[in-house]
Amino acid sequence: MALRSRNWFGRKGKDGFIYRAWMKNQGIPDFEFDGKPIIGICNTWSELTPCNAHFRQLAESVKRGILEAGGFPVEFPVMSLGETLMKPTAMLYRNLASMDVEESIRANPIDGVVLLCGCDKTTPSLVMGACSVDIPTIVVSGGPMLTGKYKGKSIGTSDVWRFHDDVREGKLDESELRNIEASMCRSNGTCAVMGTASSMACMVEALGLSLPENAAIPAADSRRKVLAQLSGNRIVEMVREDVRLSDILTPKAFENAITVNAAIGGSTNFVIHLLAIAGRIGVSLDLEDFNRISANVPLIVNLQPSGKYFMEDLFYAGGLPAVLKELQNYLHVDCITVNGKTLGENFEGAENNDKDVIAEVINPFNNSTGLAILTGNLCENGAVIKPSAASDHLMKHKGKAVVFENIEDFKARIDSDELEVDKDSVLVLKNVGPKGYPGMPEVGNMGIPKKLLRQGVKDMVRISDGRMSGTAFGTVVLHVSPEAAVGGNFSVIQNGDVIILDIPNRSLTVDLSDEELNERKRKKEAQPLVADRGYVSLYVNNVQQAHLGADMDFLVGKSGDEVPRDSH
Ligand code: FES
């Protein structure tokens, strides 16, 4: 096949001279430009993204693999989104990072690309950007952290919410919390539970975008480097075979990813990211597809936050290949993957070594599926819940709304003894959606009011137009669309309105007539959107609603791999 990079390095005269000469200042001999596939290593290494801080070493393994296979590696940085440090929320920048990835690949002499990603938003942003170019691409995830250990107990990110409640109740003091910090994050890698990062790593493996085993090998395990090297080998072959993202990302591949996410109890954020990826590659996908495909998928992976184990345990139990093998009757096993084999061929030799971690389909560890889409007059365009992480007694619930107009309002009043709330109330948080916040932060798993915590209440129905961390749990309805900031029924919910949640029937309603809702909307003043300048202004004016994946309208689809004009 004709290499894209020959439009740079294969040129004669002044242009070819300029393209090659400045590369040679890195000490690169002439033969490296002699028709070898040029492989970009798109690296989200950053000390401000601690989950990806080991990526320099991982990139070295990828490079070794590329060189071995006869390609030439060129590593380049892109915007890295650190989930824990970025304010106001890393999600605000997912689309910006995806633009960086798309344009960095398109503008440069790259024939194939290896995406190094790990922390939550780094995976969807890189995959989205690469989809819009659609050259041969393989994903190498950074791998999860080792399981945290504290006083003989295994701990992970999902426990942070429990520790937080213990501090609020006075059961835990700050100095002990400091000790726990170090015990939980004791190695490189992403959160050790089935949070968003792990769900994204499972997503890319289920889609066929990575080599088998990519999802679960711990970051600290030497086999992670082996996988990186083998991925370097393989991307060179993919360029020679011209296997592109669009060859792998078929509608059936998306259905496989949805099935897997339901079976692993994956993050609710998976929904928003998969919709955005589908939009980039041109596959038609909507919220109803998630219900249709997930409905009968049993939850078989017993990991926090839906269960009790950790990613390290999943790896020892057989990793995602063993999960896929258990799920084979629910999957399109003929989907082609990056290694040229089908998904079915990839899990053929897998073994389930621990049925407490990976249950059999006929004996799932939780009968509730991992994901459900709700509809009703409270969420005209849908909302998302994770039934597997919800409480049994709240699966069908009717209660009066306690409304917080924004996150500041929530923080100011939630622990007040004056707050009129009881265990049957429904907490409602508005204006934390894509446009309203802006950026749709992970605040949907609102803390339980202190006075109810003291009464022993551990869960309540909570509803918002925001997201929650994939590591969180509870009966939490998220991604209400349309969000409060753009009108819609959710924007006019008031204290005391009766809300009815019916998870088995996938419904979320408020006991108000259409006339009443329309009257309230008519009286409501339009809300000005907060966007002073720069990227945030671009985002607020163009971001789509959650049910469409919260991508920017002008980024949906592809620019393709066309070589840009010369400027010399
Ligand atoms: Fe990076 Fe959890 S904060 S993966």
Side-chain angles (χ1 to χ4, degrees), residues 51 83-84 118-120 190-191 197:
C51 309
E83 195 64 30
T84 51
C119 195
D120 298 15
T190 48
C191 291

Side-chain angles (χ1 to χ4, degrees), residues 7 34 68 163 213 234 239 269 342 368 408 441 447 466 539:
N7 289 288
D34 197 15
E68 261 172 15
F163 297 140
E213 304 265 22
R234 179 58 195 156
V239 170
N269 289 315
T342 65
S368 297
E408 287 75 22
Y539 174 89

Side-chain angles (χ1 to χ4, degrees), residues 164-204:
H164 174 61
D165 282 347
D166 285 350
V167 169
R168 289 167 72 216
E169 283 185 88
K171 292 182 187 165
L172 197 66
D173 64 27
E174 279 292 332
S175 65
E176 186 162 12
L177 206 58
R178 286 286 177 107
N179 292 336
I180 295 172
E181 289 169 6
S183 311
M184 190 178 82
C185 296
R186 67 189 182 97
S187 83
N188 287 328
T190 48
C191 291
V193 299
M194 190 53 82
T196 303
S198 298
S199 302
M200 290 293 99
C202 291
M203 176 191 78
V204 294

